[in-house]
């Protein structure tokens, strides 16, 4: 796949911490309930930690009690790409940054959350940075 932001693996390793690299570039998962943004209620925009692309707004974030930040919709439909993920012996939908291809987490549907989309974008905090709204 081709992305607007493409870098050699050595450059990603140099720019990201080992933990960020493991999640963003190798599709790892940070431990539940330890991420910086799991319980954050700050208003603002969540962007990709690897390339800065705007991904989610805080007004679509909700408490799912799953251990990772949850959103019911991306900021723009083109902000993320969804890919079939059959790892770990189950069928899931992986969420990646559409600008650089970095792994963000997974999206789940039909779990019964009272959200407008009935979707839960379960995103690793370490994949994101939050720019608080001014004012």
């Amino acid at each position: 796949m081709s992305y607007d932001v493409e870098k050699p693996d050595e450059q990603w390793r140099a720019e990201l911490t080992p933990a960020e690299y493991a999640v963003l570039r190798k599709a790892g998962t940070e431990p539940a309930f330890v991420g910086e943004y799991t319980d954050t209620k700050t208003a603002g925009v969540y962007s990709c930690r690897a390339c800065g692309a705007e991904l989610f707004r805080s007004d679509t974030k909700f408490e799912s009690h799953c251990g990772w930040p949850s959103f019911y919709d991306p900021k723009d439909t083109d902000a993320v790409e969804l890919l079939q993920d059959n790892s770990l012996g189950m069928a899931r939908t992986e969420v990646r940054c559409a600008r650089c291809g970095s792994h963000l987490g997974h999206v789940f549907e039909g779990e019964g959350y009272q959200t407008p989309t009935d979707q839960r974008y379960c995103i690793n905090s370490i994949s994101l940075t939050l720019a608080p709204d001014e004012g």
Side-chain angles (χ1 to χ4, degrees):
M1 240 176 240
S2 179
Y3 297 100
D4 289 344
V5 176
E6 292 191 1
K7 301 176 184 180
D9 194 56
E10 306 79 47
Q11 188 173 350
W12 286 121
R13 283 184 186 275
E15 293 177 1
L16 302 170
T17 68
E20 291 168 349
Y21 179 83
V23 172
L24 288 159
R25 303 311 303 170
K26 295 299 179 184
T29 302
E30 70 186 344
F33 301 102
V34 301
E36 177 180 5
Y37 302 123
T38 302
D39 298 316
T40 300
K41 302 205 186 324
T42 304
V45 175
Y46 290 87
S47 298
C48 176
R49 192 172 298 236
C51 74
E54 293 185 356
L55 302 171
F56 299 96
R57 285 228 19 103
S58 59
D59 57 5
T60 65
K61 189 173 187 283
F62 68 100
E63 291 186 33
S64 66
H65 307 288
C66 70
W68 294 275
S70 296
F71 304 87
Y72 62 80
D73 205 24
K75 185 175 182 291
D76 295 306
T77 53
D78 294 342
V80 298
E81 68 174 345
L82 305 178
L83 302 167
Q84 186 65 35
D85 176 4
N86 295 315
S87 65
L88 304 177
M90 63 182 101
R92 300 180 294 172
T93 302
E94 179 184 9
V95 181
R96 288 190 189 173
C97 173
R99 187 168 173 228
C100 71
S102 288
H103 173 78
L104 304 171
H106 290 86
V107 62
F108 303 94
E109 294 186 72
E111 295 178 314
Y113 290 104
Q114 298 301 308
T115 61
T117 63
D118 197 25
Q119 294 180 316
R120 177 174 58 94
Y121 284 80
C122 183
I123 307 298
N124 292 284
S125 285
I126 202 167
S127 297
L128 303 170
T129 56
L130 172 60
D133 287 342
E134 294 182 23

